[in-house]
Amino acid sequence: YAIGLAGLFRFPLRSMQLLSSAWPLFLISLMAIVSVVWSINPALSGVMAFRLNGTVLFAFFLVAAFSWQGLIQVIAATGLFLGVTSAVLALGPGNMGIMTETHVGAWSGWWLEKNRFGSVMAFAIVASATCAVLRRSVLWAISALFLFVLLILSDSATSLLATLAALGMAFVIWIWRRGPVVLGVTLYGGVAVLAAIVIAVTTAPEVVTDLLGREATFTGRTGIWQEAIGHIQIKPWFGWGYGAFWDTDPGPADWVRERLDFKVSNAHNGWLDMS
């Protein structure tokens, strides 16, 4: 956090341009701080808000310090380092990077939970693939493939779908530049595939969930979402305080856990958690 703050002063002109163009982001960060006033756990909300704003400042420092290509390479290199060291943890003594309680066998690397590992690998894959194209580098392509294997080992379906969607969009842009004929054929094929997916989801959802390795409730998440929505409706305007709902003990999340008979730690939905 200190590096981020100092970095903004190191690049004052660029930092001011970024701050002025991204003011909505700072309004959200400011709301996290203000939520201490009505939070059910003001101390926790204050700590979480400090972490949020420190992370935002560090992100702005990175954007101010590097070009877009340089920043992508930093993300790719960081992701590769985390991937390699996570593999060492998973394959080393004690298999520390592999989950042994819930989701047994899924790789989690440095993180306690597989989906967090998968999300980091997703960002790293896209960044490595971008570096491979921009620099025409075989090494970055190998890095992307290695990280993709780690993503599969994490068994994080959401991160896998997000990665495929991002790479798919890159492919569409590449097709777009090939000419109108190729673009037309590709778009026709894409619309046909999308229509088939929509039909499959609406007429035979159980088949789709089976293909994704999930069941109809997405591992019980629909029940979590219903409970989260119910508690959002209790305090629809201001919420329970930034970061306070799930980590306050005793707190309202205990009601959710009691009803679901499951020690849930978040809504498994970023939008609901922010709401």
Side-chain angles (χ1 to χ4, degrees):
Y1 302 153
I3 291 174
L5 183 60
L8 292 178
F9 288 101
R10 172 67 176 80
F11 304 96
L13 181 60
R14 176 68 171 153
S15 298
M16 290 302 298
Q17 292 174 342
L18 290 171
L19 295 176
S20 62
S21 62
W23 58 267
L25 180 60
F26 276 92
L27 285 181
I28 297 175
S29 301
L30 178 62
M31 184 175 179
I33 298 175
V34 176
S35 74
V36 172
V37 175
W38 60 79
S39 174
I40 58 173
N41 192 336
L44 178 60
S45 292
V47 171
M48 297 294 287
F50 175 79
R51 293 176 179 175
L52 172 65
N53 283 270
T55 303
V56 170
L57 286 177
F58 187 76
F60 272 87
F61 157 65
L62 290 178
V63 176
F66 296 96
S67 65
W68 278 113
Q69 290 191 18
L71 182 57
I72 291 171
Q73 188 169 352
V74 168
I75 295 172
T78 304
L80 179 59
F81 171 79
L82 292 172
V84 170
T85 52
S86 292
V88 171
L89 284 176
L91 299 175
N95 303 121
M96 295 174 58
I98 300 179
M99 299 187 69
T100 57
E101 296 182 3
T102 57
H103 309 292
V104 177
W107 284 33
S108 58
W110 286 101
W111 293 265
L112 297 176
E113 204 268 336
K114 67 182 184 71
N115 289 326
R116 294 188 181 277
F117 176 52
S119 64
V120 173
M121 292 300 99
F123 281 107
I125 290 167
V126 175
S128 294
T130 303
C131 289
V133 174
L134 291 177
R135 297 180 173 275
R136 298 182 179 180
S137 170
V138 176
L139 292 178
W140 278 120
I142 295 174
S143 171
L145 290 174
F146 168 71
L147 295 170
F148 193 80
V149 172
L150 295 182
L151 174 58
I152 294 175
L153 291 172
S154 75
D155 193 30
S156 178
T158 303
S159 297
L160 178 60
L161 290 174
T163 301
L164 294 177
L167 297 178
M169 285 300 299
F171 177 73
V172 169
I173 294 173
W174 180 80
I175 289 294
W176 192 290
R177 297 178 177 178
R178 299 304 97 186
V181 176
V182 177
L183 174 61
V185 173
T186 305
L187 287 178
Y188 178 82
V191 171
V193 171
L194 180 61
I197 293 174
V198 172
I199 292 173
V201 170
T202 54
T203 60
E206 66 281 354
V207 176
V208 178
T209 52
D210 287 343
L211 289 174
L212 293 175
R214 297 291 186 269
E215 36 82 35
T217 66
F218 290 93
T219 321
R221 294 182 182 183
T222 53
I224 300 173
W225 298 339
Q226 291 174 352
E227 292 294 331
I229 291 172
H231 283 82
I232 290 172
Q233 292 173 343
I234 295 175
K235 295 190 175 185
W237 292 104
F238 296 104
W240 300 82
Y242 182 68
F245 183 84
W246 296 104
D247 293 325
T248 298
D249 185 25
D254 294 337
W255 308 334
V256 178
R257 297 177 182 121
E258 183 177 348
R259 286 176 61 89
L260 298 175
D261 193 25
F262 173 59
K263 193 176 180 180
V264 57
S265 58
N266 58 72
H268 289 278
N269 183 303
W271 174 254
L272 293 180
D273 269 330
M274 288 299 296
S275 300

